[in-house]
Amino acid sequence: MTLRKWFYLFWTTLLVGAVSALIIGLILQANDQQFYFNDGMAIGFNAATMLLGGAMISVLSQMGFFAYLIIRFFAMGLVRSKWIWDIVQILLVLIALFDLIYLRAADEVGHWSAYAILPVAMLCVGVIVALVKVKLTNRNGFIPTLFFMTAVSAIEAVPALRINSSASTMFMMAPLLASNAWQILILSKVLDSKKEPL
């Protein structure tokens, strides 16, 4: 990957994260009874804050993406068998989704099914992105894409999950998933390779 290609990936991902954070932030504030859309200065300040927040989340997404690429490179060198690495990734996806439910519900009084919404949503988004990735490249891209969109996204989302607020979780997860999806789908175009499994 050349520096020019990396700049393209960086700035487009930054834009995707900022715009998706602005959209989800305005939706969340429109549902808030304490927020009024008649103060132009407040709207401008909030919009700028949302854009900056989304940009920071996209940078976190990019760090996770490059960390995953490095881990995948070493894992493929150590394991030397693609199907074993695929099994490991599927197991890690299941563990990550289970932990998102069990570990978050362990300290709370409410029913565990309320905590299943986020992992199920992440899994659905992951499957959709993985299917699109298969159409863009080949069928070998399904499991790595699903792993990145679920397990890696779950790790990246830990700061929002610690707050245990649905609004904070939604505000972080929307740009995070959008940035992750953008990076993994655009990678083959950036590298000019349709054979790239990611």
Side-chain angles (χ1 to χ4, degrees):
M1 180 181 285
T2 64
L3 193 59
R4 183 178 177 182
K5 291 178 180 180
W6 179 79
F7 271 133
Y8 173 78
L9 186 63
F10 176 81
W11 289 110
T12 54
T13 306
L14 200 74
L15 183 64
V16 167
V19 170
S20 56
L22 178 64
I23 292 168
I24 192 68
L26 291 175
I27 291 170
L28 289 171
Q29 286 194 341
N31 292 329
D32 187 6
Q33 286 90 15
Q34 296 176 350
F35 184 78
Y36 301 101
F37 279 99
N38 56 5
D39 187 356
M41 212 142 148
I43 293 171
F45 177 76
N46 285 338
T49 304
M50 290 174 209
L51 288 169
L52 287 173
M56 287 193 306
I57 292 168
S58 77
V59 171
L60 174 67
S61 166
Q62 293 179 60
M63 290 191 308
F65 183 61
F66 283 103
Y68 171 66
L69 292 178
I70 291 168
I71 290 169
R72 182 180 182 279
F73 176 76
F74 283 119
M76 293 299 289
L78 291 173
V79 175
R80 297 191 183 236
S81 174
K82 186 188 172 311
W83 67 271
I84 293 176
W85 175 236
D86 285 347
I87 291 172
V88 169
Q89 288 180 104
I90 291 170
L91 289 173
L92 291 173
V93 165
L94 295 174
I95 290 169
L97 295 175
F98 174 76
D99 282 350
L100 280 176
I101 299 170
Y102 180 74
L103 294 179
R104 291 174 65 214
D107 298 330
E108 300 297 323
V109 183
H111 198 265
W112 65 268
S113 60
Y115 295 96
I117 297 170
L118 177 63
V120 168
M122 287 175 65
L123 182 62
C124 291
V125 170
V127 168
I128 292 168
V129 172
L131 290 173
V132 173
K133 185 67 177 180
V134 167
K135 286 189 176 182
L136 292 175
T137 56
N138 57 50
R139 63 185 178 88
N140 292 329
F142 185 85
I143 292 175
T145 302
L146 183 65
F147 175 77
F148 178 69
M149 290 300 298
T150 52
V152 176
S153 294
I155 294 169
E156 293 170 340
V158 166
L161 298 176
R162 283 185 176 171
I163 299 172
N164 203 16
S165 162
S166 58
S168 298
T169 301
M170 287 173 61
F171 183 75
M172 183 168 190
M173 290 307 297
L176 185 63
L177 290 174
S179 298
N180 284 346
W182 171 256
Q183 289 177 100
I184 205 154
L185 292 177
I186 202 71
L187 183 65
S188 57
K189 182 181 177 183
V190 170
L191 298 178
D192 295 324
S193 170
K194 289 191 176 181
K195 295 181 180 179
E196 177 65 35
L198 279 175

